[in-house]
């Protein structure tokens, strides 16, 4: 999903940077607040950033000027909230551009907007919605992971369509083209990421329920898993 | 992520350019990236790519095989990525997917049409992208990430943010090593020949275990640092590096050469 270096026209690069900056600054303030709250949080956030990097570095080629891979930002949004992911996602994207030549520096603003802002916020919105209506936790996690992934790819498609409107059918034709091509790889990948999220949080709930409770993912009523873990 | 990617960082530590000022390298690489973005594909982007390659293989002493390994995958990705730009969408109305072959204005592929104009646009995009990527790799292969993080302090980015970014970078290698070790252990226990459903569970357990191990190591790192008096910032000393006017002037001359060639080519074409 990362748009490669040099793919966007200069004006659009600047506009996406301008659009992303307020979210990243807001996220950075949140990160500083969490770091001051407890020094342990610093390490936890760094570990989450590294986890997102490794997960989103697994890339598959996609014929859209971009690539397909799990994003991992849905899990981060559940654990730390979307503002924190705006900052962590920016760090991860910067590392990927420099260490993996994956994404780019001039396209960083556009990539941050899709992967670190739109994806986590959309995923988190679905997660909160399911929790609000007392839906099952697994459904909230599944939707958070899958929707974060799909929202990221839809945003990337729109960004690419804006940059490369089809000479014949214009913006609408370009959106159809990019979304159609992404759908081939991304819909199965998003569903897979959702399933993986359920299994991952199930594992974390069994092994480190206290951490999930500290982060507000598990409510204090959910003591079954913790009891099971302490018995083990 | 693979060995080539870690090799970028290793090459950056070994490069003689490591001793150069980070700001000077960022300026050179950033200027080349912007030139690749703003100049014409020919000769601008081609010259940017050539300058980046010559600097990497020459004074920066990066192994050609490493450059080839690092750039191989992105070059293919970029090539595949430009395909939709080469194609135009004619809609599903007048063309069916069975429509395949040469038409009057290009090659028809169902509702898509690949025209000479589209191919030229895609080639130009590939040139911009490849040149820009090479300019980024020039910085990545000559500047270790920790040096870049230290340099960010000059830009007055708050310490906690730089520390989290630095820790993320350090934990990457730990997480990668842990994940590989867990996967190896699972394979040794025939995890790869289990049922489809079981394999899903195995992958989730591997990721969960890697995350928990990294958390645990990070917490112990925190305890260790606290024991050594860590309170606010993880400040480290960095060696004093002198400004190199020769480096700056050479970089400036390269950029001036690229821009004047582009300008000359444009004027020549206008005549």
């Amino acid at each position: 999903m990362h748009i490669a270096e040099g793919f966007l026209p200069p004006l659009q690069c600047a506009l996406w940077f301008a659009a992303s900056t307020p979210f990243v600054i807001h996220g950075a303030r949140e990160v500083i607040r969490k770091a001051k709250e407890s020094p342990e949080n610093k390490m936890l956030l760094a570990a989450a950033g590294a986890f997102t990097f490794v997960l989103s570095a697994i890339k598959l080629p996609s014929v859209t000027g971009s690539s397909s891979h799990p994003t991992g930002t849905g899990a981060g949004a559940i654990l730390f909230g979307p503002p924190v992911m705006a900052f962590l996602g920016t760090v991860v994207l910067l590392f990927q551009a420099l260490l993996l030549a994956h994404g780019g520096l001039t396209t960083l603003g556009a990539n941050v907007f899709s992967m670190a802002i739109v994806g986590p916020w959309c995923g988190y919105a679905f997660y909160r919605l399911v929790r609000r209506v007392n839906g099952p936790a697994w459904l909230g996690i599944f939707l958070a992971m899958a929707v974060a992934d799909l929202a990221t790819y839809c945003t990337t498609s729109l960004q690419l369509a804006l940059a490369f409107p089809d000479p014949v059918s214009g913006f609408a034709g370009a959106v159809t083209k990019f979304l159609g091509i992404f759908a081939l790889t991304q819909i199965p990948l998003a569903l897979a990421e959702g399933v993986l999220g359920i299994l991952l949080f199930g594992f974390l709930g069994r092994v480190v329920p206290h951490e999930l409770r500290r982060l507000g993912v598990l409510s204090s009523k959910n003591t079954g898993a913790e009891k099971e873990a302490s018995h083990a | 992520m693979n060995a080539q990617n870690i090799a970028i960082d290793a090459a950056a530590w070994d490069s003689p350019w490591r001793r150069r000022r980070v700001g000077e390298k960022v300026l050179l690489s950033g200027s080349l990236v912007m030139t690749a973005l703003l100049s014409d594909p020919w000769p601008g982007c081609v010259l940017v790519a050539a300058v980046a390659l010559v600097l990497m293989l020459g004074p920066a002493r990066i192994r050609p095989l490493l450059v080839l390994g690092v750039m191989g995958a992105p070059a293919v990705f970029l090539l595949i990525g430009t395909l939709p730009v080469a194609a135009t969408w004619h809609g599903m109305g007048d063309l069916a997917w069975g429509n395949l072959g040469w038409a009057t204005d290009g090659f028809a592929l169902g509702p898509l049409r690949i025209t000479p104009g589209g191919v030229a646009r895609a080639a130009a995009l590939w040139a911009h992208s490849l040149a820009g990527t090479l300019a980024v790799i020039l910085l990545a292969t000559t500047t270790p990430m920790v040096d870049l993080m230290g340099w960010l302090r000059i830009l007055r980015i708050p310490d906690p943010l730089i520390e989290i970014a630095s820790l993320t970078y350090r934990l990457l290698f730990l997480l990668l090593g842990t994940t590989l070790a867990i996967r190896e252990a699972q394979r040794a226990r025939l995890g790869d020949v289990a049922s489809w459903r079981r394999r899903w569970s195995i992958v989730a357990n591997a990721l969960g275990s890697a995350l928990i191990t990294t958390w645990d190591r990070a917490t112990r790192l925190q305890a260790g640092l606290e024991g050594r008096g860590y309170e606010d910032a993880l400040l480290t000393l960095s060696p004093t590096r002198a400004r190199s006017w020769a480096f700056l002037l050479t970089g400036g001359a390269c950029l001036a050469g690229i821009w004047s060639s582009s300008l000359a080519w444009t004027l020549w074409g206008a005549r």
Side-chain angles (χ1 to χ4, degrees):
Chain A
M1 89 207 26
H2 303 355
I3 300 175
E5 177 60 55
F7 252 74
L8 296 181
L11 183 65
Q12 291 190 21
C13 292
L15 286 174
W16 289 119
F17 267 107
S20 302
T21 303
F23 291 95
V24 178
I25 290 174
H26 176 229
R29 282 185 171 171
E30 188 64 19
V31 165
I32 293 172
R33 194 184 62 77
K34 279 186 188 287
K36 282 185 178 161
E37 208 173 82
S38 154
E40 264 180 34
N41 281 342
K42 252 188 220 179
M43 304 296 165
L44 210 60
L45 289 167
F51 185 68
T52 309
F53 179 99
V54 171
L55 207 59
S56 61
I58 306 162
K59 64 176 177 175
L60 309 166
S62 173
V63 278
T64 47
S66 184
S67 54
S68 296
H69 50 80
T71 61
T73 53
I78 294 173
L79 289 171
F80 303 107
V84 169
M85 284 317 289
F87 173 75
L88 284 185
T90 305
V91 172
V92 166
L93 285 164
L94 186 65
F95 285 166
Q96 288 182 344
L98 290 170
L99 285 174
L100 312 178
H102 183 186
L105 296 183
T106 60
T107 53
L108 186 66
N111 289 329
V112 165
F113 194 81
S114 61
M115 192 180 119
I117 296 167
V118 176
W121 274 105
C122 289
Y124 190 69
F126 272 82
Y127 175 72
R128 295 300 308 168
L129 186 72
V130 172
R131 297 300 296 262
R132 179 71 58 87
V133 297
N134 288 325
W138 64 264
L139 182 64
I141 291 164
F142 176 83
L143 286 176
M145 301 282 281
V147 169
D149 191 307
L150 283 177
T152 302
Y153 281 88
C154 290
T155 310
T156 305
S157 299
L158 291 175
Q159 288 170 330
L160 287 168
L162 268 177
F164 305 105
D166 195 89
V168 176
S169 48
F171 175 73
V175 171
T176 313
K177 192 167 65 178
F178 287 117
L179 277 176
I181 296 167
F182 262 145
L184 291 177
T185 50
Q186 212 49 42
I187 291 177
L189 204 56
L191 297 175
E193 195 170 340
V195 173
L196 197 64
I198 296 171
L199 296 170
L200 177 65
F201 275 89
F203 178 82
L204 294 176
R206 285 196 306 277
V207 182
V208 281
H210 51 284
E211 280 293 338
L212 294 187
R213 190 161 295 120
R214 192 172 77 82
L215 292 165
V217 178
L218 281 183
S219 64
S220 51
K221 284 182 280 183
N222 295 344
T223 51
E226 193 168 16
K227 276 181 189 166
E228 204 177 293
S230 58
H231 282 310
Chain B
M1 203 171 172
N2 56 32
Q4 285 292 359
N5 306 125
I6 296 169
I8 292 185
D9 203 55
W13 283 97
D14 291 339
S15 170
W17 276 23
R18 158 110 215 271
R19 292 185 290 274
R20 297 206 171 277
R21 277 191 166 196
V22 177
E24 290 173 4
K25 288 182 281 184
V26 170
L27 183 67
L28 174 65
S29 182
S31 306
L32 286 172
V33 167
M34 290 312 290
T35 305
L37 186 68
L38 297 171
S39 64
D40 289 333
W42 172 261
C45 292
V46 175
L47 287 175
V48 168
V51 166
L53 272 176
V54 167
L55 291 176
M56 265 190 279
L57 301 176
R61 288 191 218 150
I62 307 300
R63 286 179 293 113
L65 274 179
L66 176 77
V67 177
L68 199 67
V70 168
M71 282 305 297
V76 175
F77 272 94
L78 295 177
L79 196 63
I80 297 170
T82 52
L83 289 179
V85 180
T88 52
W89 177 261
H90 284 249
M92 300 299 279
D94 56 347
L95 289 161
W97 279 104
N99 182 9
L100 184 74
W102 288 101
T104 49
D105 57 345
F107 189 78
L109 191 71
L112 297 171
R113 189 72 57 88
I114 297 171
T115 61
V119 172
R121 248 194 338 269
L125 186 61
W126 190 70
H128 279 295
S129 201
L130 193 70
T133 306
L134 274 166
V136 173
I137 293 294
L138 173 66
L139 179 68
T141 51
T142 55
T143 314
M145 200 61 77
V146 287
D147 286 5
L148 273 174
M149 293 293 148
W151 178 75
L152 286 176
R153 284 187 204 277
I154 299 169
L155 303 179
R156 297 196 174 187
I157 292 177
D159 280 335
L161 300 181
I162 294 178
E163 275 170 32
I164 288 170
S166 302
L167 286 166
T168 300
Y169 170 72
R170 288 182 166 93
L171 289 175
L172 281 183
F173 299 96
L174 176 65
L175 185 60
L176 188 67
T178 308
T179 310
L180 291 176
I182 292 171
R183 290 293 296 143
E184 191 60 41
Q186 287 179 337
R187 262 194 294 274
R189 292 199 296 264
L190 305 179
D192 279 0
V193 291
S195 67
W196 182 249
R197 194 174 172 175
R198 181 81 190 118
R199 269 189 281 169
W200 269 94
S201 172
I202 286 169
V203 170
N205 289 357
L207 286 173
S209 300
L211 185 65
I212 291 167
T213 310
T214 312
W215 267 347
D216 180 49
R217 291 281 289 271
T219 310
R220 280 191 277 146
L221 176 67
Q222 170 75 23
L225 287 168
E226 278 172 4
R228 293 157 80 183
Y230 167 59
E231 283 175 356
D232 296 325
L234 273 174
L235 289 174
T236 50
L237 291 174
S238 48
T240 313
R241 296 175 174 117
R243 176 173 290 122
S244 167
W245 287 109
F247 183 86
L248 288 171
L249 288 172
T250 310
C254 287
L255 287 163
I258 294 170
W259 278 109
S260 50
S261 305
S262 288
L263 190 66
W265 184 261
T266 310
L267 292 174
W268 177 266
R271 279 175 60 189

mmCIF file of all heavy atoms in Angstrom, chain B residues 126-139:
data_model
loop_
_atom_site.group_PDB
_atom_site.id
_atom_site.type_symbol
_atom_site.label_atom_id
_atom_site.label_comp_id
_atom_site.label_asym_id
_atom_site.label_seq_id
_atom_site.Cartn_x
_atom_site.Cartn_y
_atom_site.Cartn_z
ATOM 1 N N TRP B 126 8.344 5.746 -13.948
ATOM 2 C CA TRP B 126 9.326 4.765 -13.461
ATOM 3 C C TRP B 126 10.693 5.443 -13.278
ATOM 4 O O TRP B 126 11.385 5.204 -12.289
ATOM 5 C CB TRP B 126 9.423 3.611 -14.458
ATOM 6 C CG TRP B 126 10.222 2.459 -13.946
ATOM 7 C CD1 TRP B 126 9.879 1.600 -12.958
ATOM 8 C CD2 TRP B 126 11.525 2.054 -14.391
ATOM 9 N NE1 TRP B 126 10.878 0.669 -12.754
ATOM 10 C CE2 TRP B 126 11.896 0.922 -13.623
ATOM 11 C CE3 TRP B 126 12.411 2.514 -15.356
ATOM 12 C CZ2 TRP B 126 13.108 0.261 -13.796
ATOM 13 C CZ3 TRP B 126 13.624 1.845 -15.525
ATOM 14 C CH2 TRP B 126 13.958 0.742 -14.751
ATOM 15 N N ALA B 127 11.041 6.321 -14.229
ATOM 16 C CA ALA B 127 12.333 7.031 -14.136
ATOM 17 C C ALA B 127 12.358 7.933 -12.897
ATOM 18 O O ALA B 127 13.344 7.941 -12.148
ATOM 19 C CB ALA B 127 12.560 7.850 -15.402
ATOM 20 N N HIS B 128 11.274 8.685 -12.664
ATOM 21 C CA HIS B 128 11.200 9.559 -11.471
ATOM 22 C C HIS B 128 11.373 8.720 -10.199
ATOM 23 O O HIS B 128 12.109 9.075 -9.287
ATOM 24 C CB HIS B 128 9.824 10.239 -11.399
ATOM 25 C CG HIS B 128 9.696 11.434 -12.287
ATOM 26 N ND1 HIS B 128 10.423 12.584 -12.112
ATOM 27 C CD2 HIS B 128 8.904 11.669 -13.371
ATOM 28 C CE1 HIS B 128 10.100 13.458 -13.045
ATOM 29 N NE2 HIS B 128 9.181 12.936 -13.834
ATOM 30 N N SER B 129 10.632 7.625 -10.182
ATOM 31 C CA SER B 129 10.581 6.798 -8.983
ATOM 32 C C SER B 129 11.912 6.101 -8.708
ATOM 33 O O SER B 129 12.385 6.083 -7.570
ATOM 34 C CB SER B 129 9.464 5.770 -9.180
ATOM 35 O OG SER B 129 9.059 5.304 -7.959
ATOM 36 N N LEU B 130 12.503 5.543 -9.759
ATOM 37 C CA LEU B 130 13.765 4.810 -9.583
ATOM 38 C C LEU B 130 14.883 5.768 -9.158
ATOM 39 O O LEU B 130 15.670 5.456 -8.251
ATOM 40 C CB LEU B 130 14.147 4.094 -10.885
ATOM 41 C CG LEU B 130 15.249 3.056 -10.733
ATOM 42 C CD1 LEU B 130 14.755 1.845 -9.958
ATOM 43 C CD2 LEU B 130 15.769 2.616 -12.089
ATOM 44 N N ALA B 131 14.931 6.944 -9.796
ATOM 45 C CA ALA B 131 15.971 7.914 -9.445
ATOM 46 C C ALA B 131 15.789 8.378 -7.993
ATOM 47 O O ALA B 131 16.764 8.468 -7.232
ATOM 48 C CB ALA B 131 15.910 9.109 -10.403
ATOM 49 N N GLY B 132 14.542 8.644 -7.608
ATOM 50 C CA GLY B 132 14.266 9.079 -6.236
ATOM 51 C C GLY B 132 14.645 8.004 -5.233
ATOM 52 O O GLY B 132 15.248 8.286 -4.185
ATOM 53 N N THR B 133 14.315 6.750 -5.555
ATOM 54 C CA THR B 133 14.637 5.640 -4.646
ATOM 55 C C THR B 133 16.148 5.492 -4.488
ATOM 56 O O THR B 133 16.647 5.271 -3.383
ATOM 57 C CB THR B 133 14.006 4.325 -5.161
ATOM 58 O OG1 THR B 133 12.607 4.543 -5.355
ATOM 59 C CG2 THR B 133 14.206 3.180 -4.202
ATOM 60 N N LEU B 134 16.884 5.634 -5.591
ATOM 61 C CA LEU B 134 18.352 5.536 -5.508
ATOM 62 C C LEU B 134 18.924 6.643 -4.621
ATOM 63 O O LEU B 134 19.860 6.421 -3.851
ATOM 64 C CB LEU B 134 18.962 5.615 -6.916
ATOM 65 C CG LEU B 134 19.038 4.290 -7.672
ATOM 66 C CD1 LEU B 134 19.338 4.527 -9.148
ATOM 67 C CD2 LEU B 134 20.110 3.380 -7.079
ATOM 68 N N ALA B 135 18.329 7.840 -4.727
ATOM 69 C CA ALA B 135 18.801 8.956 -3.897
ATOM 70 C C ALA B 135 18.536 8.676 -2.415
ATOM 71 O O ALA B 135 19.354 9.030 -1.557
ATOM 72 C CB ALA B 135 18.114 10.247 -4.334
ATOM 73 N N VAL B 136 17.398 8.034 -2.113
ATOM 74 C CA VAL B 136 17.094 7.673 -0.717
ATOM 75 C C VAL B 136 18.067 6.601 -0.236
ATOM 76 O O VAL B 136 18.590 6.662 0.890
ATOM 77 C CB VAL B 136 15.625 7.182 -0.584
ATOM 78 C CG1 VAL B 136 15.356 6.640 0.812
ATOM 79 C CG2 VAL B 136 14.652 8.313 -0.898
ATOM 80 N N ILE B 137 18.338 5.633 -1.107
ATOM 81 C CA ILE B 137 19.260 4.535 -0.743
ATOM 82 C C ILE B 137 20.675 5.074 -0.502
ATOM 83 O O ILE B 137 21.413 4.553 0.330
ATOM 84 C CB ILE B 137 19.254 3.444 -1.852
ATOM 85 C CG1 ILE B 137 17.894 2.743 -1.894
ATOM 86 C CG2 ILE B 137 20.348 2.412 -1.658
ATOM 87 C CD1 ILE B 137 17.568 1.933 -0.676
ATOM 88 N N LEU B 138 21.036 6.131 -1.226
ATOM 89 C CA LEU B 138 22.355 6.759 -0.997
ATOM 90 C C LEU B 138 22.481 7.193 0.461
ATOM 91 O O LEU B 138 23.512 6.960 1.107
ATOM 92 C CB LEU B 138 22.518 7.960 -1.939
ATOM 93 C CG LEU B 138 23.758 8.829 -1.717
ATOM 94 C CD1 LEU B 138 25.040 8.056 -2.022
ATOM 95 C CD2 LEU B 138 23.717 10.090 -2.583
ATOM 96 N N LEU B 139 21.418 7.786 0.986
ATOM 97 C CA LEU B 139 21.445 8.202 2.394
ATOM 98 C C LEU B 139 21.430 6.989 3.322
ATOM 99 O O LEU B 139 22.197 6.915 4.285
ATOM 100 C CB LEU B 139 20.237 9.105 2.686
ATOM 101 C CG LEU B 139 20.113 9.603 4.129
ATOM 102 C CD1 LEU B 139 21.240 10.567 4.467
ATOM 103 C CD2 LEU B 139 18.769 10.281 4.367
#
